[in-house]
């Protein structure tokens, strides 16, 4: 648990963070959300003492960070800066190995750790270990940045808009990837963003900041249901209808009338399925879905199988709709970070949900 | 006689001049490198960056001063002999190195320093593992400039009695022996080219390959 206790950072002509008190729970993602210049980066950097506060205390698991050696403190915390900041003169392996190297690990152990982490962030070690940062795409760099922050297995991760400078599609898949990672690793993450969609998708709790102060901290649902003031309402409740889709997680609105079958089962007994929709899953691979009604009219079963998009359960409805519209597919299968199928979504369904919410 | 015959017949004296020449250049380059690196590192520290930018400006312009002028000026203070030449070369040779070191270190992006510090590097580790490697290309370029300048300027230092390969050229000039002038020139040029080739090889091994990739 990280506790910020009336932390203030004052510069000569400006108070960047103003009496901020905040409790960040373990093993969850806490988002710092707020407009540009509201003090998010400053807050993050005070936790690892890159910036010393003017007053106030910060404790990690009850110990004041000011009682710790700042160098050791930083080595024990994973940090992803706003610009990623991979070192261009080190290979990917060298970058991942920075903190382990500072901690005195041997070469072999660092190599093994780097391989392990690249696997974890879905980059083939045999390809990427020897690559130079300038040979990486934006998305690959971000993954390596996350791997580097995880290198020495820190309990606490500080991430400053780690997926900021990247196109929306890659951004979405990085967010999905990060959620899967977190469901395995369960780290204490402080994640800065000014993207509301990202906050709602990733955040277990969202701390909303304004002018260096904490306005409100709560779960997404609680924030939506009981916004503390007009600022929060404005920030979250972008009043135009389409933007509202940003505020709802796909998982909460899926159509659960489906059954899962293997292709073989569907061939044999699909017609007798209870649900109107059959999702075909062979092992880990979800190959498509079939509307039960079509099974009787189609001669070739393969023809009845529809392709679909996969959307993370944490994704916002806006992301689900965008994905569907971009792909031109009829339905999205909504899947949990651990692979469980939660249900399906289609554009007409979302329209209906919005109509209900509007009322 | 042509230049090669001259070299063949006078090899013992010539080789002594080569050693003198290399000695002057070697000492001067080493002194310039140490002073340039240390000063460049000091003025690029966050608190001194204003000084650093001023230094970059001054050294940028100072490179336009002819090297002969520095030798002549030093002669006024410390008289004739190789000592004066080495001091003059050391001072003159600091300029390109200091310029390149300080400008390259000032150009290291703030996010690199911040990432390094945020990962728990001490300030010395940030310097050694991040800042200097990132500036290495430019530092090596400054060193090569200084070496080339010193090799050629040491020749001129012969006029203040410093010895070296300039002696062969200036003697040849006074007794009108084109073969001697040619021989001296060939030697100086060869040393300049050879040392630059060696430094280029050194540069390749010192500068990370990751930095030469354009993205
Ligand atoms: N060294 C400094 N001196 C004076 N003011 C500063 C300094 N660093 C930051 N500030 C000010 O403090 C405020 C908060 O900055 P901070 O970087 O924390 O904002 P942020 O919430 O991270 O914004 P963004 O979303 O744009 O990254 C800003 O108004 C900034 O101008
Ligand atoms: Mg910021």
């Amino acid at each position: 648990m990280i506790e910020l206790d009336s932390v203030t950072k004052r510069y000569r002509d400006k108070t960047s963070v103003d009496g901020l008190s905040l409790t960040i729970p373990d093993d969850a993602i806490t988002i710092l959300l707020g407009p540009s210049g509201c003090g998010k980066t400053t807050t993050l950097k005070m936790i690892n003492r890159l910036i010393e506060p003017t007053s106030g205390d910060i404790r990690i698991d009850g110990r004041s960070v000011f009682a710790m050696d700042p160098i050791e403190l930083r080595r024990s915390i994973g940090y992803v800066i706003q610009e990623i900041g991979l070192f261009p003169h080190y290979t990917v392996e060298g970058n991942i190995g920075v903190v382990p190297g500072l901690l005195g690990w041997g070469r072999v152990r660092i190599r093994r750790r780097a391989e392990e982490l690249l696997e974890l962030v879905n980059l083939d070690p045999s390809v990427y270990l020897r690559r130079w940062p300038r040979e990486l795409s934006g998305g690959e760099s971000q993954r390596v940045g996350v791997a580097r922050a995880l290198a020495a297995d820190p309990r606490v991760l500080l991430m400053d808009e780690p997926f900021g400078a990247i196109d929306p599609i890659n951004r979405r898949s990085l967010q999905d990837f990060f959620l899967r990672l977190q469901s395995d690793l369960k780290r204490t993450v402080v994640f800065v963003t000014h993207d509301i969609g990202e906050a709602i998708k990733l955040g277990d709790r969202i701390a909303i900041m304004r002018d260096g102060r904490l306005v409100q901290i709560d779960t997404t649902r609680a924030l939506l249901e009981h916004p503390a003031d007009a600022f929060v309402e404005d920030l979250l409740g972008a009043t135009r209808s389409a933007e509202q889709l940003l505020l709802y997680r796909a998982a909460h609105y899926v159509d659960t009338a489906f059954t899962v079958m293997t292709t073989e089962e569907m061939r044999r007994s699909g017609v007798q399925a209870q649900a109107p929709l059959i999702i075909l899953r062979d092992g880990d691979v979800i190959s498509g879905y079939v509307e039960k009604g079509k099974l009787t009219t189609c001669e070739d079963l393969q023809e009845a199988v529809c392709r679909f998009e996969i959307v993370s359960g944490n994704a916002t409805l806006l992301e689900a709709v965008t994905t569907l519209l971009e792909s031109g597919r009829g339905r999205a299968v909504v899947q949990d970070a651990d692979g469980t199928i939660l249900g399906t979504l289609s554009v007409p369904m979302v329209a209906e949900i919005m109509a209900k919410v509007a009322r | 006689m042509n230049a090669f015959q001259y070299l063949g017949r006078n090899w013992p004296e010539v080789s002594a001049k080569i050693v003198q020449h290399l000695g002057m250049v070697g000492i001067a380059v080493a002194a310039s490198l140490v002073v340039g690196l240390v000063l460049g590192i000091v003025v690029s520290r966050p608190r001194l960056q204003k000084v650093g930018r001023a230094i970059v400006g001054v050294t940028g312009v100072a490179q336009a001063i002819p090297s002969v002028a520095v030798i002549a000026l030093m002669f006024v203070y410390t008289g004739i002999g190789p000592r004066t030449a080495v001091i003059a070369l050391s001072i003159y040779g600091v300029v390109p190195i200091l310029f390149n070191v300080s400008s390259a270190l000032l150009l290291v992006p703030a996010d690199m320093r911040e990432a390094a510090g945020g990962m728990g590097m001490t300030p010395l580790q940030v310097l050694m593992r991040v800042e200097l490697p990132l500036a290495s290309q430019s530092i090596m370029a400054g060193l090569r400039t200084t070496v080339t300048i010193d090799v050629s300027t040491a020749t001129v230092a012969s006029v203040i009695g410093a010895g070296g390969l300039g002696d062969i050229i200036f003697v040849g000039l006074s007794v009108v022996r084109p073969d001697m002038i040619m021989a001296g020139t060939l030697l100086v040029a060869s040393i300049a080219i050879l040392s630059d080739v060696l430094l280029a090889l050194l540069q390749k091994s010192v500068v990370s390959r990751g930095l030469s990739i354009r993205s």
Side-chain angles (χ1 to χ4, degrees):
Chain A
M1 186 169 66
I2 307 173
E3 297 156 281
L4 283 79
D5 191 349
S6 30
V7 174
T8 295
K9 177 65 193 179
R10 207 169 292 123
Y11 290 105
R12 207 169 309 140
D13 52 344
K14 162 118 199 151
T15 304
S16 298
V17 173
D18 193 0
L20 182 69
S21 292
L22 185 62
T23 301
I24 292 155
D26 279 339
D27 308 338
I29 301 178
T30 299
I31 304 274
L32 296 184
L33 175 70
S36 185
C38 70
K40 306 182 292 294
T41 298
T42 309
T43 304
L44 209 62
K45 286 187 188 169
M46 287 193 291
I47 296 175
N48 67 2
R49 294 187 62 187
L50 278 181
I51 294 178
E52 297 284 335
T54 315
S55 64
D57 195 14
I58 298 172
R59 288 180 296 274
I60 298 179
D61 297 331
R63 276 187 70 197
S64 168
V65 296
F66 305 108
M68 303 183 207
D69 172 34
I71 302 287
E72 267 165 41
L73 172 73
R74 289 175 203 144
R75 288 177 188 173
S76 73
I77 292 178
Y79 182 43
V80 184
I81 65 169
Q82 204 158 353
E83 302 84 5
I84 313 172
L86 294 183
F87 300 125
H89 60 296
Y90 286 161
T91 58
V92 166
E93 179 185 359
N95 269 284
I96 295 176
V98 169
V99 179
L102 292 170
L103 294 172
W105 295 18
R107 258 172 194 284
V108 180
R109 184 166 170 214
I110 293 180
R111 159 70 55 88
R112 237 186 298 119
R113 181 65 179 154
E115 283 170 353
E116 197 176 290
L117 283 164
L118 283 177
E119 303 263 6
L120 192 68
V121 301
N122 276 329
L123 295 171
D124 178 358
S126 65
V127 177
Y128 288 95
L129 214 51
R130 313 258 95 236
R131 283 265 187 104
W132 300 98
R134 286 183 186 161
E135 297 170 333
L136 301 176
S137 73
E140 290 162 349
S141 304
Q142 314 250 11
R143 281 163 196 258
V144 174
V146 173
R148 181 172 73 169
L150 289 169
D153 208 17
R155 284 243 37 87
V156 174
L157 270 181
L158 306 178
M159 308 179 81
D160 198 348
E161 303 198 32
F163 312 139
I166 199 158
D167 63 279
I169 293 178
N170 268 306
R171 192 169 185 173
R172 263 179 251 151
S173 75
L174 272 167
Q175 291 163 347
D176 291 341
F177 144 77
F178 185 66
L179 279 170
R180 280 196 301 277
L181 200 66
Q182 170 68 1
S183 80
D184 286 349
L185 299 181
K186 294 264 181 281
R187 291 302 132 103
T188 304
V189 181
V190 189
F191 190 109
V192 166
T193 182
H194 57 228
D195 176 342
I196 294 159
E198 186 164 81
I200 288 173
K201 182 169 172 184
L202 299 183
D204 295 306
R205 303 221 297 166
I206 301 178
I208 296 176
M209 291 180 65
R210 179 194 196 182
D211 295 337
R213 293 163 187 274
L214 178 70
V215 181
Q216 189 174 8
I217 176 165
D218 223 322
T219 61
T220 314
R221 282 216 144 168
L223 284 173
L224 287 171
E225 279 160 22
H226 313 286
D229 62 9
F231 174 74
V232 178
E233 209 165 343
D234 264 9
L235 192 72
L236 297 176
T239 40
R240 274 154 297 147
S241 50
E243 285 180 19
Q244 278 196 27
L245 289 174
L246 204 56
L247 304 178
Y248 304 97
R249 276 197 184 162
H252 300 141
Y253 299 94
V254 287
D255 176 1
T256 49
F258 69 93
T259 38
V260 180
M261 290 182 168
T262 64
T263 312
E264 200 35 56
E265 285 167 346
M266 189 267 294
R267 268 182 219 288
R268 265 190 284 113
S269 54
V271 202
Q272 290 145 32
Q274 298 288 319
L277 200 77
I278 302 165
I279 293 174
L280 298 177
R281 178 175 203 160
D282 301 288
D284 272 349
V285 183
I286 302 174
S287 48
Y289 69 87
V290 176
E291 284 165 28
K292 201 179 78 183
K294 280 205 184 147
L295 284 177
T296 45
T297 56
C298 271
E299 285 170 22
D300 182 1
L301 278 182
Q302 279 312 314
E303 247 174 64
V305 177
C306 302
R307 309 259 290 134
F308 60 93
E309 289 295 313
I310 289 191
V311 168
S312 140
N314 273 33
T316 64
L317 285 178
L318 182 65
E319 180 180 331
V321 171
T322 312
T323 310
L324 282 171
L325 293 177
E326 274 168 7
S327 64
R329 303 232 157 97
R331 261 173 202 273
V333 169
V334 179
Q335 218 180 358
D336 222 352
D338 63 13
T340 317
I341 296 174
L342 300 173
T344 64
L345 272 177
S346 65
V347 175
M349 273 173 63
V350 175
E352 234 174 89
I353 295 163
M354 288 326 292
K356 259 188 236 155
V357 170
R359 258 188 274 124
Chain B
M1 253 201 307
N2 71 24
F4 295 104
Q5 287 166 331
Y6 172 82
L7 286 177
R9 282 182 207 160
N10 300 282
W11 187 245
E13 299 88 76
V14 170
S15 57
K17 297 287 177 206
I18 295 177
V19 171
Q20 261 181 356
H21 201 94
L22 290 179
M24 274 193 287
V25 171
I27 296 170
V29 167
S32 305
L33 184 61
V34 171
V35 173
L37 263 181
V38 171
L39 269 182
I41 289 168
V42 169
V43 301
S44 62
R45 294 311 85 195
R47 279 179 201 177
L48 287 175
Q49 294 208 337
K50 262 190 194 147
V51 182
R53 274 187 284 275
I55 294 273
V56 171
V58 170
T59 49
V61 175
Q63 291 184 66
I65 299 171
S67 50
V68 188
V70 180
I71 290 185
L73 205 64
M74 271 326 289
F75 167 72
V76 174
Y77 293 105
T78 54
I80 59 165
R83 199 170 64 104
T84 302
V86 169
I87 295 174
L89 288 181
S90 304
I91 294 173
Y92 193 72
V94 165
V95 176
I97 294 178
L98 179 55
F99 174 79
N100 280 36
V101 172
S102 47
S103 59
L105 286 178
L106 286 173
L107 279 177
V108 169
D111 59 321
M112 289 288 111
R113 286 205 186 93
E114 197 199 306
M119 295 168 84
M121 289 193 198
T122 63
L124 185 64
Q125 286 168 331
V126 177
L127 177 70
M128 301 303 289
R129 299 185 188 200
V130 177
E131 294 181 77
L132 287 177
L134 288 178
S136 57
Q137 182 97 32
S138 173
I139 294 173
M140 285 303 297
L143 179 63
R144 286 168 73 175
T145 309
T146 290
V147 169
T148 308
I149 289 175
D150 280 8
V151 168
S152 74
T153 307
T155 316
V156 184
S158 161
V159 298
I160 58 159
L165 290 168
D167 287 359
I168 301 176
I169 296 174
F170 284 108
V171 171
L173 195 62
S174 60
V175 301
V176 198
R177 284 269 304 272
D179 57 328
M180 284 179 75
I181 300 176
M182 200 58 192
T185 309
L186 274 176
L187 283 175
V188 173
S190 312
I191 291 174
I193 292 168
L194 202 69
S195 54
D196 200 55
V197 169
L198 289 177
L199 284 171
L201 289 177
L202 180 68
Q203 180 166 0
K204 255 193 127 170
S205 69
V206 168
V207 179
S208 160
R209 221 157 50 71
L211 293 175
S212 51
I213 298 162
R214 295 270 149 252
S215 61

